[in-house]
Amino acid sequence: MTQTTRIVLSSDHAAIDLRQALAAHIAAKGWEVEDIGPTTPESTHYPDHGAAAARRVASGDCRFGIILCGTGQGIMMAANKVKGIRCGVCSDTFSARMIREHNDANMLSIGARVVDEARAIELVDAFLDAEFEGGRHATRVDLIKALED
Ligand code: RB5
């Protein structure tokens, strides 16, 4: 079965501008972008937005999810509560690459109050341009999946 090339983005109020910049960048890389907001700056709740994006990935409708809040931490915690989600929060490109290569992460979380736009774009590129290596790493990812049952 061919995997979708759709990527879902969401954030809380702390990351709207950065999320929209990343959405444009990801679309320019050739991915189909589903930006599920929010679009207005009222204070909102990051668990709702993390879960909404995570469900789009867990269902298979989206290949990856990119989520943001102030630190990236809270929305990452919420996303990881959804079965099938492996989300890491990254501020360095080595980690953003490695969570794909070793952990088969399907979501990346970014802190809009931690990194600037240029770094966020580097993180997205490192994440999306990497491939899961499988092998011994698949054994370990299977152990993560077993914890969900
Ligand atoms: C919102 O003020 C802030 O708490 C949120 O964006 C995030 O940093 C939580 O982890």
Side-chain angles (χ1 to χ4, degrees), residues 102-115:
H102 284 196
N103 312 120
D104 199 17
N106 46 19
M107 295 185 73
L108 169 67
S109 183
I110 296 173
R113 295 173 178 158
V114 180
V115 301

Side-chain angles (χ1 to χ4, degrees), residues 12-14 46 69-75 113:
D12 72 358
H13 56 279
Y46 59 80
C69 65
T71 59
Q73 301 289 352
I75 201 164
R113 295 173 178 158

Side-chain angles (χ1 to χ4, degrees), residues 5 23 27 30 36 49 51 71 73 83 91 96 99 115 124 127 131 141:
T5 58
I36 59 172
H49 302 294
T71 59
Q73 301 289 352
K83 186 173 182 178
S91 54
I99 64 171
V115 301
V124 165
F127 180 81
E131 295 284 345
V141 171

Side-chain angles (χ1 to χ4, degrees), residues 47 50-51 54-55 58 74-87 107 148:
R55 290 187 183 113
I75 201 164
M76 175 272 290
M77 292 178 196
N80 276 320
K81 294 295 183 188
V82 175
K83 186 173 182 178
I85 295 304
R86 290 176 302 284
C87 181
M107 295 185 73
E148 296 177 326

